[in-house]
Amino acid sequence: MAILQQEKILHNLAEFLTSEQISVNETIKELHGRDESYHAMQLPDIVVFPETAEQVSSIMKLSQQHAIPIIPFGLGSSLEGHVIPEQGGITIDFSLMNKVLHVDAEDFLVTVQPGVTRTQLNKELKKHGLFFTVDPGADATLGGMAATNASGTTSVKYGVMRDQVRDLEVVMADGTILHTGNKAAKSSSGLHLNGLFVGSEGTLGCFTELTLKVYGIPEFITAARASFPTVTDAVEAVVSILQAGIPIARVELVDEQSMRQVNDYNETAYLEKPTLFLEFHGNEAGLQQDVEFMEEIVQGHACEDIAFETDTAARNQLWEARHTLAYAYIHSYPGKKMMVTDVCLPISELAGAVGHARENLQALGLPGGIVGHVGDGNFHALIMMNMEDGDEVARAQEFNGRIVEYALERGGTCTGEHGVGLGKQKYQQQEHGAALGVMEKIKQALDPHNLLNPGKNIKLETKETIK
């Protein structure tokens, strides 16, 4: 951005934002020029911290007036470069819009601003005997989670982020503020705009308010850890559990190499075999029957070891192995950056996909492990690579491409929950075909100058010259 243009924009911003809400500090810009991914950092020209939807609207109007890109930013915990401002521009940081506005306990709904984090929300909901289910691992903001259609460990029972959104307040490219839904449990009126905007990665508008579905805290929770001789045995056990109608709340696969990392990092002595981490929610009597049935099923799939925990502290310790896995790898490979892949397939194809991924990790000589939300066919490979070693980076990208191709050939998707961002752009035509053209037309209609997070999700050529 030219100096004179930046000075003019800063002057315009100062008309409706305080000096504390505007920053051109290099350190602040660096914090907003990257996320948790391996993608290269790019700096925004200006970072702003609005407090109201009206201020966001004014920022959007300024963007249109000066043809300046807008990049929404939550906490930067995304994994495919969603918040990296490739063309510079104005990053909107929503950290000051972090209020839980209303808890409607009787209707099991909550209305929040986009900067509210998952942990913050659940702390507030606990007072009402409620909780928000979507758990992507990171303590992400609700706005960011909606932007990427996040899911995570609990989606097998409760669904993904898109399933929880009743209404969004969205500021459009021209500054218009609108609502995409209502508080009703269902509607046959109009197009399903909630579904359109959730997962749009800031390319169609900026979220300034979200109304979300919440749930009663389960009366009783049981967690389990079950080890198997092979990944195939573990995945087939999950398929059998689902086919039996047992209501699993979480079911996570951690492969043999990753269990070794867990033991090294946490100083535990778990069996270093492919392992399922499971959790069941419900009433005590019903769960006892479900758990007994589940135990019979896994024993029929060559389960070698199984342990149960109902105490909260013990359950948390059990799940710590899964939740700290990324840190376990990072700690063991100092100086290396983690690439976290993300594909999703029909569950009948999952065992083959995980086996294919492990074979390719070994063939390409890459250190890493495989974990997955196996209840819905989603898995990740955690790859450690030296960003200064071009050959190693190329091998990691080759691996990523191989598992995506495998998934697409079997009716899957290139991303189950991380989103498209920068990293999955190259697969959009192959996955969507003619439907991608429809998405591009929607993007052109709602953001005709391609200023909202350009280059992400739905990539168009920028029609305006960005100075």
Side-chain angles (χ1 to χ4, degrees):
M1 183 185 294
I3 295 176
L4 289 178
Q5 185 190 30
Q6 179 168 310
E7 289 179 353
K8 185 174 183 180
I9 292 170
L10 289 170
H11 176 75
N12 292 151
L13 288 169
E15 294 175 0
F16 55 87
L17 297 176
T18 67
S19 58
E20 288 78 14
Q21 292 177 277
I22 307 169
S23 180
V24 292
N25 178 277
E26 286 300 313
T27 301
I28 297 296
K29 291 197 292 184
E30 286 181 10
L31 290 172
H32 293 81
R34 59 174 178 257
D35 58 10
E36 293 294 323
S37 73
Y38 61 94
H39 298 288
M41 179 172 65
Q42 300 274 349
L43 300 185
D45 296 294
I46 302 169
V47 181
V48 294
F49 300 83
E51 295 181 332
T52 66
E54 289 71 26
Q55 289 180 345
V56 175
S57 174
S58 296
I59 295 166
M60 298 290 248
K61 291 174 183 176
L62 196 59
S63 159
Q64 296 293 301
Q65 180 183 346
H66 294 281
I68 302 300
I70 292 291
I71 303 91
F73 188 96
L75 278 177
S77 59
S78 54
L79 293 166
E80 286 293 359
H82 302 85
V83 299
I84 297 174
E86 278 200 308
Q87 300 176 19
I90 299 173
T91 288
I92 303 180
D93 184 312
F94 286 95
S95 59
L96 297 183
M97 296 181 69
N98 64 345
K99 296 180 180 63
V100 177
L101 299 174
H102 181 64
V103 177
D104 190 346
E106 292 185 354
D107 288 324
F108 294 92
L109 297 174
V110 63
T111 301
V112 300
Q113 292 182 312
V116 172
T117 66
R118 178 177 59 85
T119 299
Q120 177 190 349
L121 175 58
N122 275 324
K123 185 177 180 180
E124 180 65 28
L125 290 175
K126 191 174 182 180
K127 303 172 187 176
H128 303 270
L130 302 170
F131 80 117
F132 182 69
T133 58
V134 182
D135 175 12
D139 188 22
T141 63
L142 278 303
M145 289 167 62
T148 56
N149 191 29
S151 53
T153 62
T154 60
S155 58
V156 64
K157 178 176 176 66
Y158 298 100
V160 300
M161 194 69 187
R162 183 172 279 124
D163 301 313
Q164 318 309 328
V165 175
R166 287 285 178 85
D167 182 35
L168 296 167
E169 181 180 77
V170 183
V171 181
M172 305 299 290
D174 64 0
T176 301
I177 302 173
L178 56 82
H179 281 260
T180 62
N182 51 53
K183 293 185 177 182
K186 62 180 183 179
S187 173
S188 295
S189 177
L191 299 180
H192 192 234
L193 294 185
N194 286 341
L196 176 65
F197 280 92
V198 176
S200 61
E201 301 181 9
T203 61
L204 302 181
C206 289
F207 306 152
T208 50
E209 192 175 291
L210 305 91
T211 298
L212 305 168
K213 185 178 179 181
V214 294
Y215 298 78
I217 295 173
E219 175 189 328
F220 197 76
I221 299 175
T222 296
R225 172 178 48 81
S227 301
F228 298 82
T230 69
V231 166
T232 300
D233 290 322
V235 174
E236 289 180 350
V238 173
V239 173
S240 296
I241 292 169
L242 294 173
Q243 289 174 336
I246 298 173
I248 312 176
R250 305 176 195 245
V251 54
E252 298 288 299
L253 171 70
V254 179
D255 75 347
E256 182 176 347
Q257 174 62 32
S258 298
M259 289 304 296
R260 191 170 298 121
Q261 292 292 141
V262 164
N263 283 338
D264 290 344
Y265 182 71
N266 294 308
E267 298 182 350
T268 49
Y270 296 134
L271 196 62
E272 293 178 356
K273 293 289 186 73
T275 300
L276 294 178
F277 291 82
L278 307 101
E279 191 167 276
F280 304 86
H281 297 176
N283 63 71
E284 188 170 0
L287 279 189
Q288 184 175 351
Q289 292 181 339
D290 289 337
V291 168
E292 288 173 355
F293 190 13
M294 180 274 293
E295 190 170 7
E296 290 180 15
I297 289 172
V298 299
Q299 296 294 356
H301 287 278
C303 177
E304 296 181 347
D305 179 59
I306 189 165
F308 295 94
E309 299 291 354
T310 56
D311 176 73
T312 301
R315 282 192 288 105
N316 290 340
Q317 184 178 7
L318 187 69
W319 278 104
E320 186 179 9
R322 172 63 181 92
H323 288 313
T324 61
L325 185 54
Y327 301 106
Y329 273 102
I330 292 168
H331 182 265
S332 297
Y333 295 91
K336 292 199 173 190
K337 185 74 175 176
M338 177 178 283
M339 174 193 280
V340 186
T341 68
D342 168 43
V343 294
C344 189
L345 303 92
I347 194 168
S348 61
E349 299 283 357
L350 185 61
V354 172
H356 170 267
R358 172 50 65 189
E359 289 171 6
N360 279 275
L361 274 180
Q362 293 171 343
L364 291 166
L366 295 167
I370 297 170
V371 299
H373 314 311
V374 287
D376 53 20
N378 191 190
F379 80 92
H380 313 294
L382 312 178
I383 308 164
M384 302 308 301
M385 60 183 178
N386 180 0
M387 296 299 294
E388 304 301 319
D389 185 334
D391 176 65
E392 195 163 286
V393 172
R395 282 184 282 128
Q397 292 174 336
E398 170 68 15
F399 169 80
N400 193 22
R402 290 184 188 183
I403 67 169
V404 168
E405 292 289 341
Y406 187 98
L408 294 181
E409 288 170 1
R410 289 157 179 80
T413 175
C414 69
T415 171
E417 59 186 7
H418 292 171
V420 175
L422 296 171
K424 296 295 175 71
Q425 283 288 340
K426 66 184 77 171
Y427 307 112
Q428 294 305 288
Q429 182 63 51
Q430 181 180 353
E431 179 169 341
H432 298 292
L436 182 60
V438 176
M439 299 178 201
E440 290 171 346
K441 289 178 182 178
I442 292 171
K443 167 70 171 173
Q444 289 166 343
L446 300 184
D447 180 21
H449 303 300
N450 193 25
L451 295 174
L452 298 186
N453 211 7
K456 318 295 170 49
N457 201 7
I458 305 163
K459 190 170 185 177
L460 300 178
E461 293 299 321
T462 302
K463 295 183 178 180
E464 299 287 345
T465 299
I466 308 301
K467 300 180 181 178

